[in-house]
Amino acid sequence: MNDQLDPKAILAALRTVLPKDTNNVALHEPRFSGNESAYVKECLDTGWVSSVGKFVDRFEVQLAEYTGAKRAIAVVNGTAALHVCLLLVDVQPGDEVIVPALTFVATANAVTYCGATPHFADSAFTTLGLDPGKLDAYLQKIGEVRGNNCYNKKTGKRIKAVIPMHTFGHPVDLDSLIEVCTRYRLVMVEDAAESLGSFYKGRHTGNWGKVSALSFNGNKIITTGGGGAILTNDEELGLRAKHLTTTARVPHPWELAHDMVGYNYRLPNINAALGCAQLEQLPSFLMKKRALAEQYRAALDEVKGVTFFTEPGHSKSNYWLNAFLLDEQESDKRDALLELTNRNGIQTRPAWTLMHRLPMYESCPRMELSNAEDLSRRLINIPSSAVLGEPYGEA
Ligand SMILES: *Cc1c(COP(=O)(O)O)cnc(C)c1O
């Protein structure tokens, strides 16, 4: 039948977008075409490579400026940023924290580091992130607000926070989610690891929750090698974040004293130097990614059985990692398609294994997760490096 999905037709469509002169296209590659070498060399020449130096301060100021957050605190990676975010909003051992089942494992791990339990929630088809409507209906059944806290009627535990994650850079439905969080007295902490450069209703993601986490891992839209940042509009929390991530050292000209158990999470100057250079190129990366997404959309529009995922309403996505969905009746062709594309040098990948399917999280509380289950059967990520959005022939 000719109305069925043909994996070869998808491969051909992808090839019309991707460079012709290579048979090895990665899912996501970093690009260092700016001041990276100059800034890193400056660190080496001055000896300021580690915990002190001007690039850390500069990176933090520039991140705050770009995102519109009052304070940005640079840390060693996005996972550490999430961990500290949860400590800052007082997630305690024994608490539960709502986390999407469809996310990278770090979101759930950060909850576990605090001695709390991740509680898995379903995703929306429109955003690929937390579904506020389903969460509301679920909390009506299992949640109970007492005083300024929400409790899980089934486990008796406090549900302290919700961590929406902006999947592949696409903002979640923040207005609706904030309304649910307010009604149930839940603190919102954004996992904005994938969404630097993404805006919801004109305001940057990671600038809506009480605190939020960014990542600059090697595969993210900008990279510092490894790195992350905490964003907040609360001056007090910003100061505490800095203190907690720098071993809680008490400022003093020569004495080494600490007033609590802190963490050695601060970003080294040499990594921040990379970050400053990468941030200068973010606007150009965003333009190229948008151009690439548009090319994919047009090419895949011509193919039966698939839909390219485009930014949700009210949002401007960074299109960090492009994705398409197989039609429901075609999901059994997913693995054949992954096999065919990878064998032909085009790196593709399914969505993450859902959190409640991982051995350490299979007994955690969760709501009915039919959307996430469905998405994980039908979603495929395709090569998304900024360089692929440049007109062919350009360096
Ligand atoms: C990358 C990522 C993180 C963590 O980032 P690292 O810097 O690798 O620790 C957290 N959450 C999500 C959704 C991510 O994609």
Side-chain angles (χ1 to χ4, degrees):
M1 274 170 43
N2 67 358
D3 61 344
Q4 280 190 347
L5 179 148
D6 174 8
K8 286 203 215 69
I10 295 184
L11 179 65
L14 296 178
R15 278 191 166 141
T16 65
V17 174
L18 298 171
K20 314 282 178 278
D21 57 348
T22 169
N23 56 359
N24 187 10
V25 190
L27 203 61
H28 202 284
E29 283 179 337
R31 181 140 176 86
F32 304 113
S33 48
N35 288 316
E36 285 85 357
S37 302
Y39 293 172
V40 170
K41 184 167 185 302
E42 195 178 322
C43 294
L44 301 179
D45 291 347
T46 57
W48 297 115
V49 294
S50 188
S51 54
V52 191
K54 70 171 192 193
F55 286 114
V56 173
D57 295 339
R58 190 158 128 194
F59 190 43
E60 289 180 342
V61 167
Q62 288 176 346
L63 276 174
E65 258 170 31
Y66 182 78
T67 58
K70 226 179 220 152
R71 288 269 297 171
I73 297 91
V75 295
V76 283
N77 57 53
T79 309
L82 273 173
H83 179 196
V84 172
C85 282
L86 296 176
L87 296 174
L88 289 170
V89 302
D90 194 35
V91 168
Q92 298 272 346
D95 284 343
E96 290 178 7
V97 175
I98 306 278
V99 169
L102 181 69
T103 187
F104 177 57
V105 71
T107 324
N109 284 350
V111 173
T112 310
Y113 299 161
C114 298
T117 305
H119 187 150
F120 299 117
D122 207 7
S123 297
F125 289 113
T126 45
T127 65
L128 305 177
L130 278 183
D131 184 329
K134 276 191 93 163
L135 182 61
D136 188 12
Y138 179 63
L139 287 171
Q140 272 177 40
K141 273 196 313 195
I142 67 117
E144 183 178 30
V145 175
R146 272 185 270 139
N148 215 20
N149 287 298
C150 180
Y151 291 86
N152 181 338
K153 280 193 268 189
K154 286 188 177 160
T155 61
K157 292 182 172 184
R158 177 172 73 158
I159 307 175
K160 177 67 194 178
V162 177
I163 315 182
M165 193 277 280
H166 306 293
T167 311
F168 311 138
H170 302 298
V172 308
D173 179 2
L174 280 162
D175 275 347
S176 307
L177 192 63
I178 288 168
E179 194 275 317
V180 174
C181 287
T182 308
R183 202 145 30 82
Y184 286 94
R185 313 285 195 276
L186 302 167
V187 184
M188 188 172 84
V189 174
E190 289 174 79
D191 182 343
E194 304 184 351
S195 66
L196 179 66
S198 299
F199 294 78
Y200 177 80
K201 295 194 172 170
R203 188 156 129 210
H204 199 278
T205 52
N207 200 2
W208 294 77
K210 190 143 182 78
V211 283
S212 66
L214 300 176
S215 166
F216 314 115
N217 188 40
N219 63 346
K220 296 303 200 295
I221 190 160
I222 70 164
T223 184
T224 57
I230 298 161
L231 299 180
T232 184
N233 284 312
D234 183 324
E235 200 65 54
E236 180 71 20
L237 280 185
L239 291 172
R240 278 188 53 213
K242 193 72 184 174
H243 192 58
L244 257 181
T245 54
T246 52
T247 64
R249 185 169 169 207
V250 182
H252 191 277
W254 63 84
E255 251 170 42
L256 271 176
H258 310 262
D259 59 7
M260 62 193 290
V261 179
Y263 297 84
N264 182 16
Y265 278 174
R266 90 174 276 157
L267 186 73
N269 198 48
I270 197 164
N271 300 84
L274 273 177
C276 290
Q278 287 268 288
L279 208 46
E280 292 168 357
Q281 295 162 85
L282 180 59
S284 123
F285 292 165
L286 287 167
M287 254 167 49
K288 288 168 187 170
K289 280 175 170 286
R290 185 159 282 273
L292 177 65
E294 177 48 31
Q295 288 180 55
Y296 275 136
R297 191 201 55 74
L300 291 170
D301 261 4
E302 305 295 315
V303 182
K304 291 211 160 61
V306 298
T307 309
F308 181 72
F309 192 87
T310 53
E311 65 198 348
H314 309 297
S315 294
K316 185 142 190 189
S317 173
N318 66 3
Y319 281 99
W320 167 60
L321 200 55
N322 289 299
F324 64 78
L325 288 164
L326 303 176
D327 288 357
E328 249 156 81
Q329 68 279 12
E330 306 286 6
S331 63
D332 58 336
K333 299 205 178 88
R334 188 195 76 172
D335 289 357
L337 185 54
L338 290 166
E339 164 68 29
L340 180 72
T341 44
N342 280 289
R343 187 154 37 82
N344 281 276
I346 298 175
Q347 201 186 352
T348 57
R349 207 172 60 181
W352 308 278
T353 298
L354 297 176
M355 292 303 105
H356 65 292
R357 303 235 172 257
L358 301 175
M360 63 287 194
Y361 292 133
E362 60 192 11
S363 59
C364 288
R366 60 179 193 249
M367 69 160 80
E368 179 271 324
L369 297 168
S370 53
N371 297 355
E373 296 278 6
D374 183 27
L375 285 168
S376 80
R377 276 192 297 271
R378 302 197 285 123
L379 192 145
I380 291 183
N381 286 121
I382 49 182
S384 301
S385 309
V387 65
L388 298 173
E390 291 173 1
Y392 300 136
E394 196 180 302

